[in-house]
Amino acid sequence: MSNQTIKLFSPLIVLLILWFIPAPEGLSQEGWHFLAIFFAVVVGLIIEPVPAALVGFAGVSLVALLGLVGNSKESITWALSGFSNSVIWLIFAAFMFALGYKKTGLGKRVSLIMIKYMGKSSLGLGYAVAFSDLILSPFMPSNTARSAGTIYPVASNIPLIFDSTPEHEPRKLGAYISWVAIATTCVTSSMFLTALAPNLLAVDLINQGTGNMISWGAWASIMLPLMIPLFLLTPWLVYVIYPPTQKKSPEAPAWAAEELKKLGKITPKELLMAGLAILALSLWIFSKELGIDSTTTAISVVSIMVLANVITWDDVISNKAAFNVLIWFASLVAMAAGLKKVGVLTWIGASTETYLSGLSPTMLIISMLVLFFVLHYFFASTTAHTTALMPIFLAIAVNLMTPEQLVPFSILLAGSLGVMGIITPYATGPSPIWYGAGYISQGKWWALGAIFGALYLVAIIIGGLIFI
């Protein structure tokens, strides 16, 4: 039997095994069958026998077909509910922002400018790569598009200037640049709500599970104080823990200056893209005070981008990645909402309350944050991790935490999704790209992932002690 066949049948086997097990006490048969399909979907998201969006879409279709969430009308209303979710359209619109950066060349220009002015030393190059990611991160919810798609094509040329290749002196510069790039994109992914698509998915699950809608500003008020020190420390820590043998790099700024000459003067479209990005960020930050929904801001800016020909309508309708994520996340939002609708989350909350109620509030919070983080070792997708665990952890928190504790805890739980991407070579979207560059061996990646993962987890725990 081929590996692909095994992967294809694994979710089905999980579904069939669970389906015929009697429902546990306190949960209806419909709820148990829904949970069986949900687990099968999670397995499918992890091993991906077919595209992830199709896994979620098939799961939603099967639940609706079997009528597990109600009659025919209730089933189709539930199945399509994710497509009317404003957060899903915010993610879709933000993918268009990323396209604007790429098509105008603004993202590449930002990276080259950073290298030109900060790249005279290896440490400076590390900070140039880091700040390139930081500048792009509030507007690009795909860290894969940001780090692997925008920064990697520029940064991957730098080690070659110094004859540092995977086969020849990788530690000279290539390994350092690679680890700084993946480590800092994990930090920026947690820093801003709009820097990672699963952040937005998590915020919607928080709204469904607790009734609390997390704004851009509320996220920033907790995550920025934790992530800014981590961001500033990361390139230096990599320089200390995993230092490059090449310490000076005067050739890099000269190369960047030459590349900028080839790009030519900044174009009106680049300036317009920068202005629209700043406008969107300002409206996101002050959305509560202005009474403008974040998604309204996003789709309005995308409309202006198309009308101003920063991107074309053909660019929008042919963006497979954006539509793939739209269908994928809309399906997962519906599945997560179904867990509550059929009583699964209520059952989980009640079942775990007995075991955890003896813990002190501080120990409960720390234990849940650590467990949520460490469990990512078993996931090759941050989206799958979010879908599988976020509703369960929130169901437990609702039963055991006060309303005052619930909001900061929810933000920290969701905020850890970015930084947990550092722990393995498959933990987040850009990881396979930087790992695949070949500068860092698998063993060294796991070791560095454990070191930086522990450091980043400590920052999340400190956030729990300060803000909750």
Side-chain angles (χ1 to χ4, degrees):
M1 188 178 290
S2 69
N3 186 47
Q4 181 61 29
T5 304
I6 293 171
K7 290 173 71 173
L8 187 62
F9 280 99
S10 293
L12 297 175
I13 293 169
V14 170
L15 172 58
L16 290 172
I17 291 173
L18 293 176
W19 188 275
F20 292 105
I21 295 175
E25 186 178 350
L27 186 63
S28 68
Q29 196 64 45
E30 289 79 10
W32 179 249
H33 286 163
F34 184 99
L35 190 58
I37 295 173
F38 181 82
F39 278 132
V41 166
V42 170
V43 171
L45 291 174
I46 293 171
I47 64 176
E48 286 197 40
V50 295
L54 179 56
V55 173
F57 197 66
V60 167
S61 302
L62 182 58
V63 171
L65 186 65
L66 296 173
L68 299 179
V69 292
N71 59 36
S72 176
K73 184 177 180 181
E74 290 171 333
S75 292
I76 191 59
T77 300
W78 165 81
L80 298 178
S81 61
F83 292 93
S84 64
N85 186 292
S86 64
V87 172
I88 303 305
W89 287 98
L90 173 58
I91 297 170
F92 178 83
F95 266 81
M96 300 305 151
F97 282 36
L99 182 61
Y101 268 106
K102 182 178 180 180
K103 193 169 183 184
T104 61
L106 182 60
K108 182 178 181 181
R109 187 181 296 276
V110 166
S111 297
L112 290 170
I113 290 171
M114 293 293 105
I115 294 167
K116 179 181 177 180
Y117 290 104
M118 300 175 69
K120 294 179 181 178
S121 67
S122 299
L123 181 61
L125 277 173
Y127 277 100
V129 170
F131 275 96
S132 298
D133 195 293
L134 177 68
I135 291 169
L136 299 174
S137 57
F139 320 102
M140 297 181 76
S142 167
N143 61 359
T144 305
R146 182 170 75 248
S147 182
T150 303
I151 294 172
Y152 177 79
V154 177
S156 61
N157 287 291
I158 299 171
L160 302 180
I161 299 170
F162 302 93
D163 198 26
S164 174
T165 68
E167 298 79 24
H168 178 74
E169 295 190 274
R171 288 291 303 274
K172 192 174 185 180
L173 194 59
Y176 173 71
I177 293 292
S178 295
W179 192 256
V180 168
I182 189 61
T184 51
T185 205
C186 289
V187 174
T188 58
S189 293
S190 286
M191 192 180 290
F192 304 107
L193 173 59
T194 46
L196 185 70
N199 291 349
L200 295 159
L201 175 62
V203 162
D204 191 70
L205 297 180
I206 290 168
N207 187 31
Q208 290 182 29
T210 70
N212 297 312
M213 189 64 214
I214 308 299
S215 67
W216 201 98
W219 180 287
S221 69
I222 289 179
M223 296 311 299
L224 282 181
L226 298 176
M227 293 299 113
I228 288 175
L230 273 189
F231 174 83
L232 295 174
L233 279 172
T234 291
W236 176 79
L237 282 173
V238 181
Y239 192 82
V240 171
I241 295 170
Y242 194 51
T245 58
Q246 177 84 30
K247 303 300 181 183
K248 300 294 181 182
S249 55
E251 296 91 340
W255 169 80
E258 188 62 33
E259 290 297 309
L260 283 167
K261 278 185 182 179
K262 293 178 184 176
L263 282 180
K265 291 183 179 180
I266 190 166
T267 64
K269 285 186 180 180
E270 287 179 83
L271 290 172
L272 179 58
M273 184 66 225
L276 289 172
I278 293 169
L279 173 64
L281 183 60
S282 301
L283 292 176
W284 285 338
I285 293 171
F286 300 107
S287 59
K288 188 174 181 181
E289 290 80 1
L290 296 172
I292 302 174
D293 185 84
S294 297
T295 305
T296 302
T297 295
I299 62 175
S300 299
V301 170
V302 170
S303 297
I304 296 171
M305 288 170 63
V306 176
L307 292 170
N309 205 33
V310 173
I311 59 176
T312 67
W313 185 244
D314 281 343
D315 291 330
V316 175
I317 61 176
S318 64
N319 193 322
K320 291 183 180 180
F323 279 101
N324 184 64
V325 168
L326 176 72
I327 295 170
W328 182 11
F329 279 29
S331 301
L332 297 183
V333 163
M335 288 298 294
L339 287 174
K340 185 175 183 180
K341 189 176 179 67
V342 299
V344 171
L345 296 184
T346 303
W347 171 72
I348 290 173
S351 301
T352 54
E353 186 173 1
T354 306
Y355 299 103
L356 298 176
S357 56
L359 293 176
S360 67
T362 301
M363 281 306 301
L364 174 66
I365 289 164
I366 292 175
S367 298
M368 291 181 69
L369 289 173
V370 170
L371 183 61
F372 188 75
F373 191 99
V374 171
L375 282 172
H376 194 56
Y377 273 104
F378 300 99
F379 289 89
S381 161
T382 310
T383 303
H385 182 119
T386 306
T387 306
L389 299 182
M390 198 77 188
I392 295 171
F393 275 69
L394 290 172
I396 296 169
V398 166
N399 279 22
L400 297 174
M401 295 181 190
T402 65
E404 292 74 22
Q405 294 172 322
L406 198 53
V407 171
F409 172 77
S410 300
I411 293 174
L412 286 168
L413 202 65
S416 68
L417 291 168
V419 288
M420 67 175 61
I422 196 63
I423 59 178
T424 68
Y426 53 79
T428 190
S431 295
I433 305 299
W434 289 103
Y435 173 66
Y439 286 101
I440 305 174
S441 68
Q442 188 176 56
K444 180 60 71 173
W445 191 291
W446 281 82
L448 289 169
I451 294 168
F452 281 81
L455 173 67
Y456 293 173
L457 177 57
V458 166
I460 296 295
I461 293 170
I462 290 172
L465 298 175
I466 293 173
F467 294 108
I468 301 179

